[in-house]
Amino acid sequence: VHYADFGGGSAQARGSLNLSCSAPGSNSGEYAVGWFRHAPGKGRGGLAAIRRDGVTYYADSFKGRFTISQDFAKSRMYLQMDNLKPEDTGMYYCAAGLFRLVPSNWADEGLYNTWGQGTQVTVSS
């Protein structure tokens, strides 16, 4: 199952973009949602994740700039990106899985079993 990612595009440095992902939610307390980025010349890495109960985790580089949220009533997940930098350019993916999200595993791609198709974000200086 692949989710649809929306909201990518181009932005100027210090601008903002809001990404969203259409994905069915789950009432399971083990449900986890994350956002990942594949930057040019680099591997894919975790940006942020959120648990069913609202607990969030962020990679240090994105704390204070990116905000992950979810709206289960609308089956949507979001990533608000502020103060964008050119190095934020890349392909962004949402992902979901049924596992207990904790600090030690939130960025482990192998635990997420469903992925969005990706949306491109380009930030110019």
Side-chain angles (χ1 to χ4, degrees), residues 25-123:
S26 171
N27 291 325
S28 170
E30 306 295 311
Y31 189 67
V33 172
W35 284 94
F36 292 78
R37 180 177 75 194
H38 192 169
K42 300 181 180 179
R44 189 164 60 186
L47 307 176
I50 187 168
R51 232 163 48 188
R52 183 66 175 84
D53 59 3
V55 173
T56 57
Y57 300 97
Y58 294 90
D60 288 343
S61 301
F62 307 102
K63 289 180 181 177
R65 294 198 303 125
F66 291 6
T67 304
I68 188 172
S69 61
Q70 58 189 358
D71 186 338
F72 284 113
K74 297 181 179 180
S75 296
R76 305 280 291 197
M77 302 178 286
Y78 303 94
L79 183 70
Q80 175 66 35
M81 304 188 295
D82 299 314
N83 191 21
L84 286 165
K85 304 175 181 180
E87 52 263 42
D88 290 324
T89 293
M91 186 70 80
Y92 286 69
Y93 299 88
C94 70
L98 288 175
F99 64 97
R100 181 66 174 174
L101 199 67
V102 294
S104 62
N105 69 7
W106 73 266
D108 185 345
E109 294 185 31
L111 296 177
Y112 296 84
N113 60 346
T114 48
W115 288 79
Q117 87 282 6
T119 186
Q120 177 68 35
V121 170
T122 302
V123 183

